[in-house]
Amino acid sequence: CSCDEPKMLNDSPDLCELNKFHHVMVALQRGVPGFRQLVAVDRGFDTFWRLWCVAELVQAFLSDIPQSICLFSGAQLDIDSED
């Protein structure tokens, strides 16, 4: 970002928001009854190639947060069904 606002990155760990993700997930799990993760998967399944998305999935799993997956279309799973 080229704006004039100060950037709080990993060199300022107490102020940085980049290293707090797991704390946010745990706080949501504890503070929001019925909290769960809904994974909206794109047509090309690129969600599973994005490191940040995979990190969220792993953190939810390790935190025992229930997960659901929403596919664009069930036909996406049938692409190789004839092989």
Side-chain angles (χ1 to χ4, degrees):
C1 171
S2 59
C3 73
D4 292 331
E5 292 296 317
K7 310 301 184 268
M8 305 303 172
L9 302 174
N10 287 328
D11 56 345
S12 303
D14 290 338
L15 299 174
C16 179
E17 295 180 4
L18 299 174
N19 62 355
K20 308 281 188 291
F21 179 74
H22 66 286
H23 296 294
V24 172
M25 296 273 297
V26 170
L28 287 169
Q29 180 188 27
R30 290 180 182 162
V32 179
F35 178 73
R36 64 184 303 109
Q37 181 182 49
L38 173 62
V39 183
V41 180
D42 59 287
R43 290 180 189 184
F45 290 86
D46 293 330
T47 303
F48 301 110
W49 289 98
R50 295 183 179 126
L51 184 57
W52 186 255
C53 295
V54 173
E56 283 189 30
L57 294 170
V58 170
Q59 186 60 52
F61 176 79
L62 294 175
S63 299
D64 292 323
I65 295 171
Q67 298 169 293
S68 298
I69 293 181
C70 180
L71 300 176
F72 180 79
S73 167
Q76 293 171 289
L77 299 176
D78 295 333
I79 291 173
D80 293 322
S81 64
E82 295 181 18
D83 290 353

